[in-house]
Amino acid sequence: MLPTRTGFLAEAFADVGAAIEKHHLATTFSWQDVAQRYRRSRVGAFWLTINMGVLIGALGFVFGTLFRSPMQEFLPYICVSLIIWNFISTAINEGCTAFIGAEGIILQVRMPLFTHVLRTLYRNLIILGHNILIYPVVLLAVGRMPTWDVFLAVPGLVILVLNLLWIMLILGVLCARYRDMTQVMQNLLQVIMYLTPVMWMPRTLPDGISRLVLDLNPFYHLISVVRDPLLGVPPSSFSWMACVVYAIVGWIVALLLFDRYRHRIPYWL
């Protein structure tokens, strides 16, 4: 049983803490989600890897030719960019329905609500683990070798996950109350993808506006702290500071919202 309110944000902290303590519930559910989706398939979840590999190859050839970029440079760039963006966008989209999709469990079983957010994140981390296998294959294909900077992608992934969790928590609460928000976010993410250097490189922007456009785009910083080390470039200190600030401010807002409306979520479902 979760503790009752005893202080500021007590219920939000109690729920999140209990979900982390019982993280095995989220991991079990997430594995079952992936296994259920590809049950009776010989290739299983690696169909995701195959689909992503085909997409990377096709877009790499088309956009690399369009932008006249050397394939040895552009193919690893678009490979890492698409894999990370797919992780971010899918996690956010599915975070919108984290509580809605778990309606049956929420209404019948008493467990921390944050467990369903963790379940959604873990499921997408499993898919990310499958897709990232394309990265060394692409490096081998273009004749490049990873540098020691690649290990900086691990703390980058940690700060990215911390930011995704508060985004998913906020959207999960809002979309449980306002169902149209799910469609709004799907359309918004499509627009954000084209405004973020995923399929194009930052250097293609005009010099006068490139730095301003990138610095004001939070998704650019969230991608950069993971993508840059994988490409052999240390992420900028500005991107790291921006991601840390996003995490601190975002979690404060998320906990305030979750603490206020946590008990209403089952009624909204």
Side-chain angles (χ1 to χ4, degrees):
M1 181 178 295
L2 297 177
T4 57
R5 180 185 293 272
T6 57
F8 182 63
L9 297 180
E11 291 195 7
F13 280 120
D15 192 284
V16 173
I20 295 174
E21 182 180 354
K22 300 176 181 178
H23 62 89
H24 62 278
L25 293 174
T27 55
T28 300
F29 282 138
S30 61
W31 274 110
Q32 289 179 344
D33 290 340
V34 177
Q36 181 69 25
R37 185 184 303 180
Y38 295 97
R39 191 169 65 174
R40 300 184 184 277
S41 171
R42 291 182 180 273
V43 180
F46 283 102
W47 274 117
L48 298 168
T49 308
I50 295 173
N51 294 338
M52 179 60 69
V54 172
L55 179 64
I56 289 170
L59 292 181
F61 175 77
V62 172
F63 284 92
T65 303
L66 182 64
F67 294 129
R68 299 179 182 179
S69 299
M71 200 57 62
Q72 186 180 22
E73 178 185 8
F74 187 75
L75 194 58
Y77 176 86
I78 198 170
C79 169
V80 177
S81 298
L82 284 176
I83 290 173
I84 298 173
W85 176 257
N86 181 73
F87 170 61
I88 293 174
S89 61
T90 306
I92 292 176
N93 276 325
E94 293 185 357
C96 293
T97 58
F99 298 132
I100 298 172
E103 176 183 357
I105 299 176
I106 293 175
L107 296 181
Q108 298 180 45
V109 181
R110 183 175 178 82
M111 68 170 60
L113 292 179
F114 191 67
T115 295
H116 306 293
V117 177
L118 287 178
R119 171 187 181 178
T120 305
L121 178 73
Y122 288 162
R123 181 169 65 239
N124 284 283
L125 280 173
I126 293 171
I127 296 172
L128 175 65
H130 284 80
N131 287 339
I132 202 64
L133 296 176
I134 304 172
Y135 168 66
V137 176
V138 169
L139 288 185
L140 183 64
V142 299
R144 287 182 56 175
M145 293 293 293
T147 65
W148 290 107
D149 290 322
V150 71
F151 293 105
L152 293 175
V154 176
L157 180 61
V158 172
I159 193 66
L160 171 60
V161 165
L162 289 175
N163 277 284
L164 284 178
L165 280 172
W166 68 259
I167 295 173
M168 294 164 66
L169 180 57
I170 290 177
L171 291 176
V173 174
L174 293 179
C175 291
R177 177 63 180 88
Y178 305 103
R179 301 299 174 93
D180 291 338
M181 279 290 296
T182 303
Q183 299 299 322
V184 171
M185 284 307 305
Q186 290 178 359
N187 294 327
L188 183 60
L189 282 171
Q190 289 181 353
V191 175
I192 291 175
M193 178 181 178
Y194 293 110
L195 295 177
T196 305
V198 175
M199 294 185 294
W200 50 273
M201 304 182 80
R203 69 185 184 196
T204 59
L205 289 175
D207 294 335
I209 63 172
S210 60
R211 198 70 258 166
L212 180 63
V213 170
L214 296 178
D215 288 346
L216 295 179
N217 186 345
F219 287 91
Y220 165 72
H221 301 298
L222 292 175
I223 290 179
S224 293
V225 294
V226 183
R227 178 178 61 192
D228 289 354
L230 291 176
L231 296 177
V233 180
S236 70
S237 56
F238 183 81
S239 291
W240 259 100
M241 288 188 295
C243 290
V244 170
V245 171
Y246 297 154
I248 294 173
V249 175
W251 269 107
I252 292 174
V253 175
L255 289 173
L256 286 169
L257 183 72
F258 190 48
D259 187 75
R260 181 175 179 85
Y261 296 107
R262 176 182 169 275
H263 285 296
R264 301 187 187 183
I265 293 175
Y267 296 100
W268 292 339
L269 300 177

